[in-house]
Amino acid sequence: MGRKIHPIGFRLKINRDWSARWFAEGDRYRNLLQEDFRIRQFVEKEAERAGIASVEIERYPNQVQVTLFTAKPGIVIGRKGESVKKLRQGLERITSKKVKVEVEEIENPDLDAKLVAINVAGQLERRIGHSRAMKRAIGQAMRQGAQGIKIQVSGRLAGAEMARREWQMEGRVPRNTLRSYIDYGTAEALTTFGRIGVKVWIYKGDVLKNDTSKSKNEPTDVYVS
């Protein structure tokens, strides 16, 4: 089952929490869900170079709180807060409500699956060999303390006529174990031969305590090897 379902959705309320926290019914649910999509697309477009790993959205009666987890908070905030002010104004136009933007720094970007996938995709776009890019990312993650990592790329690798899929793994990645804390991220590389998809699984240990954390990268749970 771990192969057929999203690794984060598979573990919701076990050791992961939702990235959007609000409640609605009927047509309002549909409208707010579409609004969440627009918020994330806007953030990724405006802060493309900032290394945005995830966007968490919380809704209140007259306010929307957007939390950005990024490896480069300085780029998101900008000089004297100009960039984050522009970002907040754009989000207020989308939501028609007051928006509070919070920026959280990711201390170990090599242990964040989304950022690792973006890094590998960027190397593929610069025409670095896929095997070399995967091997380098795996080595960096394992040196930072990951207990296991798997990277998979698929598409017209090295300009081949037929698309194929290749993967590399080091350590353990128990995708079927619910208590295992596995971070998962995807990215796409737009090359001259077409798009190449990148998937990353990072295993950070087992969670013994049934308690979710607000932070995506640093949960408060207890890990064991």
Side-chain angles (χ1 to χ4, degrees), residues 9 18 24-25 34 42 44 71 108 123 137-138 144-146 213-214:
W18 281 269
E25 292 181 314
Q34 293 296 326
F42 178 79
E44 291 178 0
N108 293 319
Q123 294 184 59
I138 288 173
Q144 291 296 325
S213 170
K214 181 181 178 181

Side-chain angles (χ1 to χ4, degrees), residues 52-134:
I52 301 292
S54 67
V55 179
E56 292 190 356
I57 301 171
E58 293 186 63
R59 295 184 182 273
Y60 303 97
N62 297 315
Q63 180 178 316
V64 179
Q65 179 175 316
V66 179
T67 306
L68 310 179
F69 292 89
T70 173
K72 303 174 183 177
I75 297 179
V76 178
I77 296 171
R79 188 174 183 180
K80 296 182 180 179
E82 293 178 357
S83 298
V84 74
K85 182 180 179 181
K86 181 182 177 183
L87 189 67
R88 185 175 63 250
Q89 291 173 349
L91 293 174
E92 287 177 349
R93 286 195 297 269
I94 293 174
T95 61
S96 300
K97 291 182 179 180
K98 184 179 179 181
V99 177
K100 180 181 179 182
V101 179
E102 291 189 357
V103 180
E104 297 283 346
E105 182 180 4
I106 296 176
E107 296 180 357
N108 293 319
D110 291 329
L111 291 179
D112 189 282
K114 178 69 173 180
L115 296 182
V116 172
I118 293 174
N119 180 30
V120 173
Q123 294 184 59
L124 295 177
E125 290 178 348
R126 296 194 299 271
R127 300 192 177 187
I128 296 175
H130 61 279
S131 297
R132 180 182 175 188
M134 288 192 291

Side-chain angles (χ1 to χ4, degrees), residues 147-166:
Q147 296 191 23
I149 178 173
K150 177 180 178 180
I151 302 179
Q152 177 180 292
V153 294
S154 58
R156 293 183 59 189
L157 303 176
E161 289 293 326
M162 184 176 292
R164 68 180 190 275
R165 180 182 303 158
E166 291 188 10

Side-chain angles (χ1 to χ4, degrees), residues 119-222:
N119 180 30
V120 173
Q123 294 184 59
L124 295 177
E125 290 178 348
R126 296 194 299 271
R127 300 192 177 187
I128 296 175
H130 61 279
S131 297
R132 180 182 175 188
M134 288 192 291
K135 188 174 182 180
R136 181 186 301 174
I138 288 173
Q140 291 174 344
M142 296 301 290
R143 282 193 295 270
Q144 291 296 325
Q147 296 191 23
I149 178 173
K150 177 180 178 180
I151 302 179
Q152 177 180 292
V153 294
S154 58
R156 293 183 59 189
L157 303 176
E161 289 293 326
M162 184 176 292
R164 68 180 190 275
R165 180 182 303 158
E166 291 188 10
W167 58 271
Q168 292 184 16
M169 187 174 76
E170 187 171 339
R172 294 178 57 239
V173 186
R175 287 176 290 174
N176 290 305
T177 307
L178 283 172
R179 67 173 179 268
S180 61
Y181 188 90
I182 293 182
D183 196 14
Y184 174 73
T186 61
E188 289 185 350
L190 183 58
T191 67
T192 55
F193 304 106
R195 291 186 183 272
I196 295 179
V198 182
K199 294 181 178 180
V200 178
W201 296 260
I202 297 180
Y203 172 53
K204 301 180 182 179
D206 290 343
V207 179
L208 297 180
K209 185 179 176 183
N210 188 15
D211 179 28
T212 56
S213 170
K214 181 181 178 181
S215 173
K216 174 180 182 294
N217 209 41
E218 296 294 338
T220 57
D221 299 331
V222 179

